[in-house]
Amino acid sequence: TARSYPVSVAYKPHIGSKFSELPSALQDAIWNYQLAVQELRGWDPHQIRALFRRLNYVVEKLNAQEMRHSQYFGEFVNTVERLADDRFWDDVALFSRRDSQRMRDIEFVSELFVLLMNGPQDGQSTLDKFYADNDVAFPHRARYSARFRAVLKSLTSISKLIADSRFKKRADFYGLFGATSQLLGGSRQARDLKHAVPGLRSLDQALSQPNTLSGDQLTYYNSVVEGPNKISKRKDRIGILLQILRS
């Protein structure tokens, strides 16, 4: 079925004309029109079709992680994408199906990986830099990956607690991951964290009644309601949780 589309009055005289027949000013305007181009590297046909279905039907633009996936295809992105496939994430139900579809799981795992490499960061402000700096060559990739898996294996010992407590929330999990990473130091050997369950459970329960909090519990609570991704708030949570893990 033929459709009619509105055309600016300025262009109506040129309907049906060939490009070569247009005035030079209009030809220049067409040639100089700026197009935003995003190169998709490493995407299979299924992913590309899914992307365009989303763009065409719901006009949903690429998020930051989908942009990184299309820009970088080297060692760093391959490393974090493999780590995001670990069974641990399903066991603790940290991510939804929607998170996986939009690569938010890979983005968060990237944040955790940078945390392990270089300590707490201020939100995602440095994430692109780590992707770019370690794309072509990623020194000590094997060492960092082994340390990351040691942290996950340690957290597996308390996976039931994580799955049914506030620690399955990303702000809290970031703190718990960071505390576990500091507990292990540079070691690639996992540690059993079951001894910390009572302390973590007590904190979880206390935070459900914010009006009764004081001391470290109040500090922790404030760290998750006052800009939880700020570096200072992340450090507060990591420090408090590290004390529990060491008790």
Side-chain angles (χ1 to χ4, degrees), residues 85-111:
D85 282 337
D86 196 285
R87 180 180 173 180
F88 172 83
W89 309 113
D90 291 330
D91 291 343
V92 298
L94 198 71
F95 305 116
S96 66
R97 182 177 180 183
R98 179 64 171 165
D99 289 334
S100 298
Q101 289 174 337
R102 297 305 310 273
M103 296 187 173
R104 295 190 186 100
D105 53 344
I106 296 170
E107 183 173 57
F108 186 63
V109 170
S110 300
E111 288 190 76

Short mmCIF file of all heavy atoms in Angstrom, two decimals, residues 85-111:
data_model
loop_
_atom_site.label_atom_id
_atom_site.label_comp_id
_atom_site.label_asym_id
_atom_site.label_seq_id
_atom_site.Cartn_x
_atom_site.Cartn_y
_atom_site.Cartn_z
N ASP A 85 29.73 -15.70 32.60
CA ASP A 85 29.07 -16.98 32.32
C ASP A 85 29.18 -17.97 33.48
O ASP A 85 28.62 -19.07 33.40
CB ASP A 85 29.67 -17.63 31.06
CG ASP A 85 29.15 -16.99 29.79
OD1 ASP A 85 28.04 -16.40 29.83
OD2 ASP A 85 29.84 -17.07 28.76
N ASP A 86 29.87 -17.60 34.54
CA ASP A 86 30.07 -18.51 35.66
C ASP A 86 28.73 -18.90 36.29
O ASP A 86 27.82 -18.07 36.41
CB ASP A 86 30.96 -17.85 36.72
CG ASP A 86 31.52 -18.85 37.71
OD1 ASP A 86 30.76 -19.31 38.58
OD2 ASP A 86 32.72 -19.17 37.62
N ARG A 87 28.61 -20.14 36.68
CA ARG A 87 27.36 -20.65 37.26
C ARG A 87 26.99 -19.91 38.55
O ARG A 87 25.81 -19.86 38.93
CB ARG A 87 27.53 -22.15 37.55
CG ARG A 87 26.29 -22.79 38.15
CD ARG A 87 26.52 -24.26 38.41
NE ARG A 87 25.40 -24.84 39.13
CZ ARG A 87 25.34 -26.13 39.49
NH1 ARG A 87 26.33 -26.95 39.19
NH2 ARG A 87 24.29 -26.57 40.16
N PHE A 88 27.95 -19.33 39.20
CA PHE A 88 27.71 -18.64 40.47
C PHE A 88 26.57 -17.62 40.35
O PHE A 88 25.74 -17.50 41.25
CB PHE A 88 28.99 -17.94 40.93
CG PHE A 88 28.80 -17.03 42.11
CD1 PHE A 88 28.81 -17.54 43.40
CD2 PHE A 88 28.61 -15.66 41.95
CE1 PHE A 88 28.64 -16.71 44.51
CE2 PHE A 88 28.43 -14.82 43.03
CZ PHE A 88 28.44 -15.35 44.32
N TRP A 89 26.54 -16.86 39.25
CA TRP A 89 25.55 -15.79 39.10
C TRP A 89 24.13 -16.35 39.06
O TRP A 89 23.21 -15.73 39.60
CB TRP A 89 25.85 -14.98 37.84
CG TRP A 89 27.29 -14.52 37.78
CD1 TRP A 89 28.25 -14.91 36.91
CD2 TRP A 89 27.92 -13.60 38.68
NE1 TRP A 89 29.44 -14.30 37.18
CE2 TRP A 89 29.28 -13.49 38.26
CE3 TRP A 89 27.48 -12.85 39.77
CZ2 TRP A 89 30.18 -12.66 38.91
CZ3 TRP A 89 28.38 -12.04 40.43
CH2 TRP A 89 29.72 -11.95 40.00
N ASP A 90 23.95 -17.51 38.47
CA ASP A 90 22.63 -18.14 38.47
C ASP A 90 22.28 -18.65 39.86
O ASP A 90 21.13 -18.58 40.29
CB ASP A 90 22.59 -19.30 37.47
CG ASP A 90 22.66 -18.83 36.03
OD1 ASP A 90 22.19 -17.71 35.75
OD2 ASP A 90 23.20 -19.57 35.18
N ASP A 91 23.28 -19.17 40.56
CA ASP A 91 23.03 -19.73 41.90
C ASP A 91 22.54 -18.66 42.88
O ASP A 91 21.71 -18.96 43.75
CB ASP A 91 24.30 -20.38 42.45
CG ASP A 91 24.67 -21.65 41.69
OD1 ASP A 91 23.81 -22.20 40.99
OD2 ASP A 91 25.83 -22.09 41.81
N VAL A 92 23.03 -17.45 42.76
CA VAL A 92 22.62 -16.39 43.69
C VAL A 92 21.55 -15.48 43.11
O VAL A 92 21.07 -14.55 43.77
CB VAL A 92 23.83 -15.53 44.16
CG1 VAL A 92 24.83 -16.40 44.90
CG2 VAL A 92 24.49 -14.82 42.98
N ALA A 93 21.16 -15.74 41.85
CA ALA A 93 20.09 -14.99 41.18
C ALA A 93 20.34 -13.49 41.23
O ALA A 93 19.43 -12.70 41.51
CB ALA A 93 18.73 -15.33 41.80
N LEU A 94 21.56 -13.10 40.93
CA LEU A 94 21.91 -11.68 41.00
C LEU A 94 21.36 -10.91 39.80
O LEU A 94 21.08 -9.71 39.90
CB LEU A 94 23.43 -11.52 41.06
CG LEU A 94 23.95 -10.18 41.56
CD1 LEU A 94 23.68 -10.03 43.05
CD2 LEU A 94 25.45 -10.04 41.31
N PHE A 95 21.20 -11.59 38.67
CA PHE A 95 20.77 -10.93 37.45
C PHE A 95 19.46 -11.52 36.93
O PHE A 95 19.23 -12.73 37.04
CB PHE A 95 21.83 -11.05 36.35
CG PHE A 95 23.19 -10.55 36.76
CD1 PHE A 95 24.27 -11.43 36.84
CD2 PHE A 95 23.38 -9.22 37.09
CE1 PHE A 95 25.52 -10.98 37.21
CE2 PHE A 95 24.63 -8.76 37.47
CZ PHE A 95 25.70 -9.64 37.53
N SER A 96 18.66 -10.67 36.34
CA SER A 96 17.42 -11.12 35.71
C SER A 96 17.70 -11.46 34.25
O SER A 96 18.77 -11.15 33.70
CB SER A 96 16.36 -10.01 35.77
OG SER A 96 16.76 -8.90 34.97
N ARG A 97 16.73 -12.08 33.62
CA ARG A 97 16.87 -12.39 32.19
C ARG A 97 17.03 -11.11 31.39
O ARG A 97 17.80 -11.05 30.43
CB ARG A 97 15.65 -13.17 31.71
CG ARG A 97 15.71 -13.58 30.25
CD ARG A 97 14.50 -14.40 29.86
NE ARG A 97 14.56 -14.79 28.47
CZ ARG A 97 13.62 -15.48 27.84
NH1 ARG A 97 12.53 -15.87 28.52
NH2 ARG A 97 13.73 -15.78 26.57
N ARG A 98 16.30 -10.08 31.79
CA ARG A 98 16.40 -8.78 31.11
C ARG A 98 17.80 -8.20 31.26
O ARG A 98 18.34 -7.61 30.32
CB ARG A 98 15.35 -7.83 31.70
CG ARG A 98 15.35 -6.42 31.11
CD ARG A 98 14.99 -6.45 29.66
NE ARG A 98 14.77 -5.10 29.15
CZ ARG A 98 14.72 -4.80 27.86
NH1 ARG A 98 14.88 -5.76 26.95
NH2 ARG A 98 14.52 -3.56 27.47
N ASP A 99 18.41 -8.36 32.43
CA ASP A 99 19.78 -7.89 32.63
C ASP A 99 20.72 -8.55 31.62
O ASP A 99 21.58 -7.88 31.03
CB ASP A 99 20.26 -8.23 34.05
CG ASP A 99 19.59 -7.39 35.11
OD1 ASP A 99 19.16 -6.26 34.81
OD2 ASP A 99 19.48 -7.87 36.26
N SER A 100 20.56 -9.85 31.43
CA SER A 100 21.42 -10.57 30.50
C SER A 100 21.19 -10.14 29.07
O SER A 100 22.13 -10.01 28.28
CB SER A 100 21.19 -12.08 30.64
OG SER A 100 21.53 -12.52 31.95
N GLN A 101 19.93 -9.89 28.71
CA GLN A 101 19.62 -9.45 27.36
C GLN A 101 20.26 -8.11 27.03
O GLN A 101 20.69 -7.87 25.91
CB GLN A 101 18.10 -9.36 27.18
CG GLN A 101 17.40 -10.71 27.14
CD GLN A 101 15.88 -10.57 27.11
OE1 GLN A 101 15.32 -9.55 27.52
NE2 GLN A 101 15.20 -11.61 26.64
N ARG A 102 20.35 -7.24 28.03
CA ARG A 102 20.91 -5.90 27.81
C ARG A 102 22.36 -5.80 28.27
O ARG A 102 22.92 -4.71 28.37
CB ARG A 102 20.07 -4.83 28.54
CG ARG A 102 18.64 -4.68 28.10
CD ARG A 102 18.49 -4.41 26.61
NE ARG A 102 19.33 -3.33 26.12
CZ ARG A 102 18.98 -2.04 26.14
NH1 ARG A 102 17.82 -1.68 26.63
NH2 ARG A 102 19.79 -1.12 25.64
N MET A 103 23.00 -6.94 28.59
CA MET A 103 24.40 -7.01 28.97
C MET A 103 24.71 -6.28 30.27
O MET A 103 25.86 -5.93 30.54
CB MET A 103 25.31 -6.46 27.85
CG MET A 103 25.25 -7.27 26.58
SD MET A 103 26.47 -6.73 25.36
CE MET A 103 26.27 -8.02 24.12
N ARG A 104 23.71 -6.07 31.10
CA ARG A 104 23.97 -5.42 32.38
C ARG A 104 24.72 -6.35 33.32
O ARG A 104 25.41 -5.88 34.24
CB ARG A 104 22.65 -4.97 33.01
CG ARG A 104 21.93 -3.88 32.22
CD ARG A 104 20.77 -3.28 32.99
NE ARG A 104 20.01 -2.34 32.18
CZ ARG A 104 18.87 -2.63 31.58
NH1 ARG A 104 18.34 -3.83 31.70
NH2 ARG A 104 18.23 -1.72 30.86
N ASP A 105 24.58 -7.66 33.12
CA ASP A 105 25.34 -8.60 33.93
C ASP A 105 26.83 -8.47 33.63
O ASP A 105 27.67 -8.42 34.54
CB ASP A 105 24.86 -10.04 33.69
CG ASP A 105 24.84 -10.43 32.22
OD1 ASP A 105 24.91 -9.54 31.34
OD2 ASP A 105 24.73 -11.65 31.94
N ILE A 106 27.18 -8.36 32.35
CA ILE A 106 28.58 -8.22 31.95
C ILE A 106 29.14 -6.89 32.45
O ILE A 106 30.29 -6.80 32.90
CB ILE A 106 28.73 -8.34 30.43
CG1 ILE A 106 28.31 -9.75 29.97
CG2 ILE A 106 30.16 -8.05 29.99
CD1 ILE A 106 28.19 -9.90 28.48
N GLU A 107 28.31 -5.86 32.41
CA GLU A 107 28.75 -4.55 32.89
C GLU A 107 29.09 -4.60 34.38
O GLU A 107 30.12 -4.07 34.81
CB GLU A 107 27.66 -3.51 32.63
CG GLU A 107 28.05 -2.10 33.02
CD GLU A 107 27.01 -1.10 32.60
OE1 GLU A 107 25.83 -1.26 33.00
OE2 GLU A 107 27.35 -0.17 31.85
N PHE A 108 28.23 -5.25 35.17
CA PHE A 108 28.48 -5.32 36.60
C PHE A 108 29.70 -6.19 36.90
O PHE A 108 30.51 -5.85 37.77
CB PHE A 108 27.26 -5.85 37.33
CG PHE A 108 27.39 -5.81 38.83
CD1 PHE A 108 27.52 -4.61 39.50
CD2 PHE A 108 27.40 -6.99 39.59
CE1 PHE A 108 27.65 -4.56 40.89
CE2 PHE A 108 27.53 -6.95 40.96
CZ PHE A 108 27.66 -5.74 41.61
N VAL A 109 29.84 -7.30 36.19
CA VAL A 109 31.03 -8.14 36.37
C VAL A 109 32.28 -7.35 36.01
O VAL A 109 33.33 -7.49 36.65
CB VAL A 109 30.92 -9.43 35.52
CG1 VAL A 109 32.24 -10.20 35.51
CG2 VAL A 109 29.81 -10.33 36.07
N SER A 110 32.19 -6.49 35.01
CA SER A 110 33.31 -5.62 34.66
C SER A 110 33.68 -4.71 35.82
O SER A 110 34.86 -4.50 36.12
CB SER A 110 32.97 -4.77 33.43
OG SER A 110 32.66 -5.57 32.31
N GLU A 111 32.65 -4.16 36.47
CA GLU A 111 32.91 -3.29 37.63
C GLU A 111 33.61 -4.07 38.74
O GLU A 111 34.53 -3.56 39.39
CB GLU A 111 31.60 -2.70 38.15
CG GLU A 111 30.98 -1.64 37.27
CD GLU A 111 29.84 -0.94 37.96
OE1 GLU A 111 30.12 -0.10 38.83
OE2 GLU A 111 28.68 -1.24 37.64
#
